[in-house]
């Protein structure tokens, strides 16, 4: 179902049928169970009806006796002296006969309530049976399956409009593990490949070429390394990224980005970022050769760095992940040396004002509109020093290296639903 809100934006609602609707056997079994329930209730109602007819005879008898009592009372009033003793005894006997009718009347009232309840149940069941019969009559299995596929497609199209949004809140962190030095990087692949649950771990910010791979987050926590890679070149900084099965990192003492394939164990591409500062020319506030930051979001791959041409302020470039060519570049007015960390979400660069405690997301630059705004989104720097902060679009989470602790923050996004007019 689609509609528009007061601002003209698309609202999508999809109600998918239960899986049991796709199976004639399941429908037949449900129909048979409901019919058995109706038959059982019909039998109960028949028993109650017989009991009610029996009790009703008692009520008629009691009514006649009551009329007789009125006559007796009148006779006593007319000649109380002569007939007092005889009629009193007769009255007492009549009252004794009426005593057993009192619980009968109580039961009659209970049975009447039960009958009313059963009638309501049968009405409800009849409606359910009617709908099931209509469903079974109108569709065969293949038709129902195609209907489910269409609904699933509508749901995915609607969810596709919710993939991007504006950062509203950061919660956490959850501490996954405590290991390594004060500085390092760890990550998962944001693209949903068949082996997308792997974790990669790169301790230290320089003078190393060793990457450790874990088959799952559970293995990472347990320290069960599945593979170890020795890169052809050392790295600088901690702002690496795994994307679609390849590692992207800043080559030591250069402004070159390297693409290394884990599957083939070879370098697939390497390219210099023109004019980009490196080797602590324009690092984040904590230093550590963090001049060049490669990252990914819902829209693809990005590089964040600074140049002399932009007066040391942050430059954002969208990168082709295959060739490492720069596709488009935006110059911001935020000093790279004053930035604690940065990450991209839905084409917007978010910058923190410090790597220490009390830090917050202070600045946001939209590549869609080429505009910026100052923000105030706090997050808890639990271990007092962050040397890596990177967004994973698949998990909607921020991975961080927090003073020798590997932690994850959850993010809350405000979704703006695109209409067909917006897309055109």
């Amino acid at each position: 179902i689609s509609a528009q809100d007061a601002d003209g934006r698309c609202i999508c609602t999809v109600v998918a049928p239960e899986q049991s609707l796709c199976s004639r056997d399941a429908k037949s079994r449900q129909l048979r169970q409901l019919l058995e329930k109706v038959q059982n209730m019909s039998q109960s109602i028949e028993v109650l009806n017989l009991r009610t007819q029996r009790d009703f005879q008692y009520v008629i008898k009691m009514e006649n006796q009551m009329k007789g009592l009125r006559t007796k009372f009148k006779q006593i009033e007319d000649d109380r002296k002569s007939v007092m003793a005889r009629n009193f005894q007769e009255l007492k006997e009549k009252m004794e006969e009426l005593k057993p009718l009192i619980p009968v009347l109580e039961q009659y009232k209970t049975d009447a309530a039960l009958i009313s309840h059963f009638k309501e149940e049968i009405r409800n069941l009849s409606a359910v049976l009617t709908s099931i019969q209509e469903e079974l009559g109108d569709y065969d299995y293949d038709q129902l399956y195609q209907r489910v596929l269409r609904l699933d497609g509508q749901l995915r199209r609607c969810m596709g409009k919710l993939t991007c949004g504006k950062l509203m809140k950061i919660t956490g962190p959850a501490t996954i593990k405590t290991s390594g030095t004060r500085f390092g990087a760890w990550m998962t692949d944001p693209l949903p490949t068949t082996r997308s649950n792997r974790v990669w771990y790169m301790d230290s910010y320089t003078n190393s070429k060793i990457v450790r791979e874990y088959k799952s987050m559970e293995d990472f926590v347990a320290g069960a390394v599945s593979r170890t890679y020795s890169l052809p070149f050392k790295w600088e900084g901690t702002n690496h990224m795994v994307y679609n099965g390849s590692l992207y990192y800043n080559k030591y003492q250069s402004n070159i980005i390297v693409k290394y394939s884990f599957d083939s164990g070879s370098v697939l591409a390497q390219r210099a970022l023109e004019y980009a500062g490196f080797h602590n020319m324009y690092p984040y506030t904590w230093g550590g050769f963090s001049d060049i930051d490669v990252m990914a979001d819902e829209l693809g791959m990005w590089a964040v760095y600074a140049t002399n041409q932009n007066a040391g302020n942050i430059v954002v470039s969208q990168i082709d992940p295959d060739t490492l060519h720069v596709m488009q570049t935006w110059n911001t007015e935020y000093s790279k040396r004053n930035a604690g960390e940065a990450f991209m979400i839905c084409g917007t660069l978010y910058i923190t004002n410090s790597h220490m405690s009390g830090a917050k997301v202070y600045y946001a630059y939209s590549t869609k509109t080429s505009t910026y705004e100052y923000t105030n989104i706090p997050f808890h720097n639990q271990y007092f020093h962050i040397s890596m902060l990177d967004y994973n679009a698949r998990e909607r989470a921020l991975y961080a290296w927090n003073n020798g602790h590997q932690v994850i923050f959850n993010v809350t996004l405000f979704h703006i639903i695109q209409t067909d007019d917006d897309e055109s």
Side-chain angles (χ1 to χ4, degrees):
I1 303 170
S2 63
Q4 289 186 337
D5 61 13
D7 297 325
R9 292 177 295 197
C10 172
I11 301 173
C12 298
T13 304
V14 176
V15 180
E18 297 180 3
Q19 291 183 354
S20 60
L21 291 181
C22 293
S23 171
R24 184 178 297 276
D25 292 341
K27 282 291 187 184
S28 300
R29 185 168 57 255
Q30 184 182 11
L31 184 60
R32 184 171 60 255
Q33 291 172 350
L34 290 172
L35 288 173
E36 289 175 358
K37 185 175 180 182
V38 171
Q39 290 172 356
N40 291 337
M41 287 198 295
S42 297
Q43 293 175 359
S44 299
I45 289 176
E46 185 65 26
V47 172
L48 288 172
N49 190 42
L50 293 173
R51 187 194 303 171
T52 303
Q53 291 178 2
R54 181 199 64 196
D55 294 345
F56 189 64
Q57 297 301 320
Y58 281 108
V59 173
I60 293 174
K61 179 180 178 182
M62 185 181 68
E63 184 181 14
N64 292 333
Q65 289 176 336
M66 290 294 186
K67 290 179 180 178
L69 284 175
R70 283 199 297 271
T71 302
K72 292 296 182 182
F73 277 118
K74 192 173 186 303
Q75 290 175 352
I76 292 172
E77 185 67 26
D78 292 342
D79 191 3
R80 70 181 62 176
K81 289 183 180 180
S82 58
V83 295
M84 178 67 73
R86 180 168 53 84
N87 284 340
F88 180 76
Q89 183 60 35
E90 188 177 348
L91 179 62
K92 184 177 180 181
E93 292 173 357
K94 294 293 184 183
M95 291 301 295
E96 290 295 328
E97 291 180 8
L98 288 174
K99 279 184 180 181
L101 289 176
I102 294 175
V104 170
L105 287 172
E106 293 296 328
Q107 185 62 47
Y108 177 79
K109 290 192 292 184
T110 302
D111 290 347
L114 281 173
I115 289 174
S116 176
H117 173 72
F118 276 123
K119 284 182 178 180
E120 183 64 27
E121 283 288 316
I122 283 183
R123 279 196 294 267
N124 293 338
L125 283 171
S126 296
V128 173
L129 288 171
T130 300
S131 65
I132 291 175
Q133 282 184 320
E134 291 176 352
E135 193 76 19
L136 287 174
D138 292 341
Y139 300 98
D140 59 20
Y141 176 83
D142 292 335
Q143 288 176 320
L144 283 172
Y145 183 69
Q146 292 302 319
R147 184 184 181 195
V148 169
L149 289 181
R150 287 196 299 273
L151 289 171
D152 182 67
Q154 292 175 15
L155 177 62
R156 291 183 183 277
R157 286 193 296 273
C158 197
M159 290 300 293
K161 297 175 183 292
L162 295 176
T163 55
C164 270
K166 181 179 180 181
L167 178 65
M168 301 299 292
K169 184 169 67 172
I170 300 174
T171 55
T175 301
I176 306 302
K177 190 176 181 180
T178 301
S179 64
T181 64
R182 293 183 64 194
F183 321 104
W186 73 295
M187 64 216 79
T188 59
D189 193 335
L191 290 188
T193 62
T194 55
R195 301 170 63 192
S196 61
N197 57 340
R198 290 182 292 175
V199 178
W200 291 271
Y201 180 90
M202 301 168 69
D203 193 10
S204 183
Y205 65 89
T206 189
N207 201 32
S208 178
K209 297 193 293 184
I210 302 302
V211 181
R212 294 180 176 85
E213 179 184 288
Y214 303 82
K215 288 183 178 179
S216 65
M217 192 67 73
E218 291 76 16
D219 282 358
F220 174 65
V221 173
V225 178
S226 63
R227 289 190 65 180
T228 300
Y229 302 89
S230 180
L231 301 176
F233 315 110
K234 295 179 182 179
W235 66 72
E236 279 201 346
T238 58
N239 306 116
H240 329 299
M241 173 189 72
V242 174
Y243 189 71
N244 198 23
S246 292
L247 172 68
Y248 297 80
Y249 70 97
N250 181 200
K251 186 177 180 179
Y252 180 65
Q253 289 190 341
S254 75
N255 58 6
I256 295 173
I257 297 176
V258 177
K259 177 183 180 181
Y260 174 84
S261 169
F262 287 120
D263 291 335
S264 66
S266 61
V267 173
L268 300 183
Q270 54 179 319
R271 189 173 300 278
L273 275 175
E274 190 176 19
Y275 305 122
F278 61 93
H279 205 62
N280 270 352
M281 181 181 294
Y282 296 118
Y284 289 129
T285 54
W286 68 277
F289 304 149
S290 56
D291 303 69
I292 297 175
D293 192 348
V294 289
M295 57 186 74
D297 67 356
E298 293 85 351
L299 305 185
M301 177 180 170
W302 308 83
V304 172
Y305 53 100
T307 64
N308 287 333
Q309 287 76 2
N310 198 36
N313 294 327
I314 287 179
V315 176
V316 183
S317 292
Q318 189 162 22
I319 305 293
D320 184 317
D322 295 324
T323 64
L324 301 182
H325 279 112
V326 173
M327 297 187 293
Q328 192 172 353
T329 294
W330 295 261
N331 292 326
T332 77
E333 297 178 0
Y334 198 99
S335 169
K336 180 73 162 55
R337 287 182 171 272
N338 290 334
E341 270 291 344
F343 53 90
M344 296 287 293
I345 298 179
C346 298
T348 295
L349 177 70
Y350 294 94
I351 301 174
T352 70
N353 61 348
S354 172
H355 65 282
M356 304 295 287
S357 297
K360 61 184 178 180
V361 177
Y362 181 72
Y363 180 94
Y365 183 91
S366 170
T367 59
K368 182 178 180 180
T369 61
S370 298
T371 59
Y372 70 90
E373 65 176 329
Y374 290 99
T375 60
N376 184 16
I377 305 173
F379 65 98
H380 183 41
N381 188 343
Q382 185 169 348
Y383 303 106
F384 316 116
H385 188 288
I386 288 181
S387 59
M388 168 249 173
L389 188 64
D390 198 15
Y391 175 67
N392 186 299
R394 177 168 57 94
E395 299 177 12
R396 293 281 173 85
L398 291 170
Y399 280 62
W401 190 289
N402 197 180
N403 205 4
H405 303 268
Q406 291 75 53
V407 305
I408 290 180
F409 295 89
N410 287 323
V411 300
T412 300
L413 303 182
F414 174 75
H415 295 287
I416 302 174
I417 303 176
Q418 291 182 338
T419 64
D420 293 335
D421 293 338
D422 295 332
E423 292 172 346
S424 59

